[in-house]
Amino acid sequence: MAEPSTEPKPKSGVLGRGTYSESLRVGEILRKETVGGILLVITAAAAIIWANSPASDSYFALRDFTFGYEPWHLELSLGAWAADGLLAIFFFLVGLELKREFVAGDLRNPAKAIVPVAAAVGGVAVPALVYVGINIFSPDTLRGWAIPTATDIAFAVAVLAIVGSHLPSALRIFLLTLAVVDDLIAISIIAIFYSDDIQVTPLLLALIPLALYTILAQKYRQFFHLKPAAAWFILLPIGFVVWALVHAGGIHATVAGVLLGFAVPVLHRKAVAGPDAGPGLAELFEHRIRPLSAGFAVPVFAFFSAGVTVGGWSGFVSAVTDPVALGIILGLVLGKPIGIVGTTWLLTKLTKVNLDPALRWVDLIGVALLAGIGFTVSLLIADLSFTPDGTTNDHAKVGILMASILAALIASVILRARNKHYRTIEAEERVDADGDGIPDVYQEPGNHADETVTAPDPDDAVPGAGAQGPR
């Protein structure tokens, strides 16, 4: 019997390859989010230009135009409808993604989940501490401590898709998982710390349509799978009632979107499960609704939320030197990567996990900087923290925009260099695919630059030709 090995077991990889299906899914999301990120940039830029143009009054008049049914507490401005209503669609997708990760994704495996979860917690705690440290002597601005804690998944993965086409899939999976957990923390923060004047009765009533929604989605998952229109005519009205009651209950209505996302089943019933069952209902809903979210809901929210009057160069300098903006900029650009990379480093020192051999710490730093793009949810928390039409809120939004731009630019510089490095490695691997040190495809010397031939294989040597006889 062989003696048991005394060699120390290698540490498991922090950023391993992940499952093949997970890699394919991440690639699909990256392609879609690229378009959404571009639309966000366009709408945010349009809002800033309009808000600082001679026609700025018309922008704010449009944003503050109110309509809705007051008895249901739904007489809201267009800006509020975008923040409370349209953004609930985005958070519905977040709920779907969270449930899929915990039920069928890499987060169901504690060994794989511990690192991105811990990194996300560090990426929330450190920016909050940075903001509090800068605003510690200003009780009025401390309420914005959560603004630099959020990561904008649409912007982050859009930048990664543009600059990192050859980066290892492990980095992409890590960023997506990190952002998903970050969203969960942000939702919890909004529900706990930014809910005012809680009304118990509407919240209890919301449980009734939520339960009905859950039962229908679970019991008739195959029906909604085969009949796309049924979800719009049956589940959507019930979901709207849940949203309205949660909104009337004093909890930010985007939380209702997450709860509805959690109610959608991820897996098929055992009776229909099998290789030909197709995607689960959660994945199907995500596929159907993501274009609505990325192409309309989030860009419209960005349009009404990003419009701030800067007031020229002096106004810009005044904004970025405000402790609120400084706390946000330093929190997102420095606090995020320090929290994410620092937490991961501590885990490698205190546990049996380590970086995947194919990766370097600089790769993780680049991705951690991308997490400092805190646009959508940060703008939402800014509106919840300060008076929407106040100077402090304007300075906070200038800080968010500046921090997101800086984080994207610095991350792009690092990740472009790393992408070039990995592209070179891939090219070398293609040339020597069999690993024997002899290029499998090469150019014959002489005047045959356009003629590609196959290199001779030592194993194919002719018998009797020197030392390369048959073996």
Side-chain angles (χ1 to χ4, degrees):
M1 180 180 295
E3 293 292 332
S5 174
T6 57
E7 292 292 328
K9 292 184 178 181
K11 292 183 177 182
S12 58
V14 169
L15 301 180
R17 291 180 178 271
T19 62
Y20 176 68
S21 60
E22 190 83 354
S23 299
L24 291 178
R25 184 174 63 81
V26 171
E28 180 66 14
I29 290 176
L30 284 171
R31 285 191 291 272
K32 294 176 181 176
E33 292 291 357
T34 303
V35 177
I38 293 173
L39 288 175
L40 276 178
V41 172
I42 293 173
T43 53
I48 295 172
I49 293 171
W50 192 355
N52 289 276
S53 71
S56 61
D57 290 343
S58 61
Y59 169 82
F60 294 107
L62 178 64
R63 186 195 67 181
D64 297 334
F65 176 76
T66 60
F67 68 96
Y69 191 55
E70 175 56 30
W72 289 1
H73 305 283
L74 293 179
E75 188 176 2
L76 308 173
S77 66
L78 277 175
W81 274 110
D84 293 358
L86 292 180
L87 211 56
I89 300 173
F90 168 79
F91 277 97
F92 175 76
L93 289 176
V94 171
L96 292 176
E97 186 65 28
L98 278 170
K99 187 172 182 181
R100 286 185 60 206
E101 285 291 335
F102 283 106
V103 172
D106 286 342
L107 285 182
R108 75 185 187 280
N109 185 343
K112 291 183 178 180
I114 183 62
V115 174
V117 169
V121 173
V124 168
V126 175
L129 291 174
V130 170
Y131 182 92
V132 170
I134 295 176
N135 291 270
I136 189 66
F137 298 112
S138 178
D140 293 338
T141 60
L142 275 179
R143 183 171 169 78
W145 63 270
I147 297 174
T149 64
T151 293
D152 190 299
I153 185 172
F155 262 144
V157 298
V159 174
L160 184 63
I162 293 170
V163 305
S165 58
H166 294 272
L167 292 173
S169 61
L171 281 178
R172 301 164 185 254
I173 293 173
F174 182 80
L175 175 62
L176 179 63
T177 307
L178 176 78
V180 166
V181 178
D182 187 281
D183 282 337
L184 177 61
I185 298 173
I187 293 161
S188 303
I189 290 173
I190 291 171
I192 296 171
F193 297 99
Y194 292 96
S195 297
D196 299 320
D197 192 22
I198 301 297
Q199 301 293 323
V200 177
T201 300
L203 294 178
L204 291 177
L205 290 175
L207 296 177
I208 299 174
L210 179 61
L212 177 61
Y213 183 98
T214 304
I215 293 171
L216 291 175
Q218 294 285 338
K219 188 173 182 179
Y220 299 102
R221 64 186 76 181
Q222 192 67 8
F223 172 73
F224 292 115
H225 187 282
L226 299 175
K227 305 289 185 181
W232 297 101
F233 289 106
I234 298 175
L235 294 181
L236 180 60
I238 299 173
F240 177 79
V241 174
V242 176
W243 174 86
L245 289 171
V246 170
H247 182 274
I251 294 179
H252 198 268
T254 52
V255 176
V258 179
L259 296 176
L260 292 169
F262 279 146
V264 178
V266 172
L267 305 176
H268 289 283
R269 289 187 179 276
K270 292 182 179 179
V272 297
D276 299 326
L281 193 59
E283 184 176 353
L284 206 65
F285 279 9
E286 182 183 344
H287 179 74
R288 293 173 183 171
I289 298 173
R290 186 172 293 278
L292 175 63
S293 173
F296 178 72
V298 177
V300 170
F301 163 77
F303 175 77
F304 285 117
S305 187
V308 293
T309 302
V310 178
W313 177 252
S314 60
F316 174 77
V317 172
S318 175
V320 296
T321 56
D322 188 315
V324 172
L326 281 176
I328 293 170
I329 294 172
L330 294 178
L332 286 171
V333 179
L334 293 180
K336 272 286 184 181
I338 290 173
I340 293 170
V341 177
T343 303
T344 306
W345 181 83
L346 283 177
L347 281 175
T348 64
K349 297 301 180 182
L350 300 178
T351 67
K352 295 182 179 180
V353 296
N354 203 350
L355 279 179
D356 186 276
L359 301 176
R360 297 293 181 266
W361 283 102
V362 66
D363 300 328
L364 189 61
I365 292 173
V367 169
L369 279 164
L370 278 183
I373 303 175
F375 189 77
T376 305
V377 182
S378 291
L379 288 174
L380 173 62
I381 297 177
D383 285 335
L384 297 175
S385 301
F386 309 117
T387 304
D389 56 354
T391 302
T392 303
N393 189 34
D394 287 346
H395 289 178
K397 291 182 177 180
V398 171
I400 293 169
L401 296 173
M402 286 301 302
S404 298
I405 292 172
L406 286 173
L409 290 176
I410 299 172
S412 296
V413 171
I414 294 175
L415 292 177
R416 273 190 179 277
R418 298 303 296 165
N419 189 65
K420 183 178 180 181
H421 169 74
Y422 285 111
R423 183 173 57 198
T424 302
I425 293 177
E426 287 181 10
E428 292 174 352
E429 290 176 346
R430 284 196 299 270
V431 171
D432 184 19
D434 59 7
D436 61 2
I438 299 176
D440 299 300
V441 178
Y442 72 100
Q443 299 293 335
E444 282 279 15
N447 297 322
H448 305 284
D450 297 329
E451 182 180 356
T452 301
V453 297
T454 303
D457 192 330
D459 292 338
D460 295 334
V462 179
Q468 296 295 331
R471 288 179 284 176

